[in-house]
Amino acid sequence: MDSSSPACVSFIGIVDFTEDANWVYCSESVYDLLGYEPHELIGTSSLNLVHPDEFSEVKELHYTTISQDQAAVLAYLRMRHKDPYKGYILCGISRTVCQNVLVGSVSFAAPGPKAMHNASTAQEVKIITPTARDLEFRRWNDPNPMPPCPIPPSRGGSPDRDRDHRRDRARAITFDPLPEQSIRTALILDRFSVNCGILYCANDSLLSTTTCMGRSFFDFVARKDEDLVRSWIDVIKGWGVNERGQPSDGGFGFGKFTVLVNGRDSSIRHPDPVPSRHRNGSHAHGHADPHASAHSHSRTRDARSHHYASSSPTTGFRDRDRDRERDRDRDRDRDRERDRDRDRDRDRDRERGMMRPPPRPRSDGELIVDAIFSAHSDGLMVILRKSSA
């Protein structure tokens, strides 16, 4: 690979709700894409990396994404590489609002099947850099969005151009830190392990950070949904590979499953049921002694014959019916007593001028969630929210 060309990777990024969109989290692949170490960016404004010509539009996009509580949306814009000789790199930026932060990823953008796949799975695509129009997913009857060939800009700066950039920044909108939006939780998972350990949890709204950090993601997936969710994650991992076979981004996947808020031990797997032909000890070995087997069957038949000879079938049925009737009478008496106690308590509460609230359903820590899955070079991202269905 040419050392001057940008790496075809993606890094996970999280920014806050301030107008500066300050970095809260960056994964390590930011160095491969933009040349910065994570600690160089965290706490600084992400807008500092935006091309001056696109500053005001990107800032407005930041405000719109949060205020409209958007999820799984994609934008194409230019970001500055630390090496000045590499200039600005065209990037695909995915974004999802998670309560009080904006989470997503930054990846190298280039035409091809991956760009079409990413755009086709996003909820919305926003083109900010004009030359990125060919990366937008289009239907057959849509007009050709390709712009005319731009005039290459001069590499040298000019006072007029610098003055335009300052004017563009001055025109950019300003706003106070925006309030929290709908409740969503972002999880970053280890994509290189079978159990997908939880590396990061954005908040405590659905899962407790102290409870889930470091544990397998499947500890918090209901057992009945585990196989299904594993199959989804396998698909997402397959999407998140670039043309060179390296881990990268791969669009969005959507699903619904049950979360166990309190978790479980997903490493405990129930053994497969023993086939019926192996449940009888006499059939467990392929070389069982046929004489011993015949002898066993003979003894069983003799014992059964002795039992039938020593007891009358009519007597056995009569005893069994008597026991069954006695159990039914006992259950009816117990139900009647319970109903009398309930009526007595209700009458007492009515006399005191109060009524008991209806019994609350038992909470077993299960929560049905909608989920957005996406793969990136440094991990898998899962966005969870309570399902409305």
Side-chain angles (χ1 to χ4, degrees):
M1 183 179 73
D2 184 5
S3 60
S4 62
S5 63
C8 300
V9 297
S10 64
F11 71 89
I12 298 172
I14 302 178
V15 299
D16 63 19
F17 278 5
T18 65
E19 65 175 356
D20 294 325
N22 295 313
W23 293 106
V24 175
Y25 176 93
C26 290
S27 63
E28 295 179 356
S29 288
V30 64
Y31 177 82
D32 299 318
L33 185 63
L34 299 178
Y36 297 92
E37 296 288 351
H39 67 82
E40 297 180 88
L41 295 180
I42 292 176
T44 67
S45 172
S46 61
L47 300 179
N48 290 339
L49 304 181
V50 173
H51 194 282
D53 291 346
E54 302 168 357
F55 178 85
S56 60
E57 191 172 359
V58 172
K59 189 173 184 180
E60 186 173 352
L61 176 68
H62 176 64
Y63 173 83
T64 303
T65 302
I66 299 170
S67 60
Q68 295 183 2
D69 200 19
Q70 294 181 327
V73 290
L74 184 63
Y76 289 103
L77 53 94
R78 289 172 287 181
M79 301 192 76
R80 175 167 52 87
H81 197 282
K82 184 178 181 180
D83 183 350
Y85 289 98
K86 294 187 176 180
Y88 286 85
I89 296 173
L90 181 61
C91 298
I93 316 292
S94 68
R95 313 177 313 285
T96 296
V97 176
C98 280
Q99 194 164 337
N100 60 349
V101 290
L102 196 60
V103 304
S105 70
V106 181
S107 61
F108 174 70
K114 177 172 287 297
M116 177 170 285
H117 175 78
N118 291 353
S120 65
T121 59
Q123 299 289 304
E124 178 183 297
V125 178
K126 175 73 172 178
I127 302 295
I128 294 180
T129 303
T131 54
R133 290 290 178 188
D134 58 332
L135 299 179
E136 186 175 17
F137 179 74
R138 305 185 304 279
R139 297 176 179 83
W140 285 356
N141 296 325
D142 287 348
N144 188 352
M146 287 290 289
C149 295
I151 300 174
S154 171
R155 297 189 69 86
S158 67
D160 291 341
R161 189 173 182 81
D162 292 341
R163 196 159 39 246
D164 290 342
H165 291 163
R166 288 195 296 270
R167 191 180 302 116
D168 187 61
R169 280 181 173 264
R171 285 199 306 266
I173 62 172
T174 60
F175 54 91
D176 294 329
L178 294 169
E180 290 188 358
Q181 301 297 312
S182 61
I183 295 177
R184 297 189 185 107
T185 292
L187 302 175
I188 300 176
L189 312 182
D190 181 1
R191 69 173 290 173
F192 305 105
S193 70
V194 175
N195 294 323
C196 297
I198 298 175
L199 306 176
Y200 181 92
C201 181
N203 53 51
D204 293 323
S205 297
L206 299 182
L207 297 177
S208 169
T209 304
T210 55
T211 301
C212 69
M213 287 287 289
R215 294 179 61 180
S216 168
F217 171 65
F218 299 105
D219 283 0
F220 301 91
V221 177
R223 190 183 303 278
K224 63 183 178 63
D225 293 335
E226 180 177 347
D227 291 340
L228 178 62
V229 175
R230 283 186 182 274
S231 69
W232 292 343
I233 288 181
D234 288 341
V235 171
I236 295 297
K237 286 181 179 180
W239 288 352
V241 178
N242 62 26
E243 289 79 359
R244 299 182 177 92
Q246 302 165 330
S248 184
D249 60 317
F252 302 95
F254 304 86
K256 186 193 300 286
F257 64 95
T258 301
V259 160
L260 299 180
V261 176
N262 300 321
R264 64 182 177 90
D265 187 356
S266 60
S267 63
I268 300 177
R269 306 283 292 185
H270 290 299
D272 294 333
V274 179
S276 59
R277 66 178 180 276
H278 295 310
R279 290 175 185 165
N280 190 335
S282 62
H283 294 276
H285 304 285
H287 300 285
D289 184 1
H291 298 291
S293 178
H295 182 61
S296 174
H297 289 303
S298 175
R299 283 187 299 178
T300 303
R301 283 195 302 269
D302 292 344
R304 192 181 299 118
S305 300
H306 176 73
H307 171 73
Y308 287 155
S310 60
S311 62
S312 169
T314 305
T315 304
F317 289 142
R318 189 182 302 115
D319 293 340
R320 191 160 53 250
D321 292 342
R322 188 185 303 112
D323 293 340
R324 190 179 296 116
E325 185 65 29
R326 189 184 305 115
D327 293 339
R328 277 199 294 266
D329 292 340
R330 189 182 304 113
D331 292 340
R332 277 196 294 268
D333 292 341
R334 190 182 302 115
D335 292 340
R336 274 194 228 96
E337 185 65 27
R338 190 185 302 115
D339 293 339
R340 278 197 297 270
D341 291 341
R342 190 184 300 114
D343 293 339
R344 191 182 307 113
D345 293 341
R346 188 183 297 113
D347 293 340
R348 187 186 308 115
D349 292 338
R350 189 178 292 111
E351 291 173 1
R352 295 175 181 174
M354 67 178 187
M355 290 295 292
R356 290 186 179 184
R360 299 178 59 185
R362 183 177 60 89
S363 175
D364 52 6
E366 291 191 357
L367 186 66
I368 299 177
V369 297
D370 297 317
I372 304 174
F373 298 87
S374 57
H376 310 281
S377 294
D378 298 324
L380 302 173
M381 183 175 291
V382 183
I383 311 295
L384 303 176
R385 72 170 186 183
K386 291 183 181 179
S387 177
S388 57

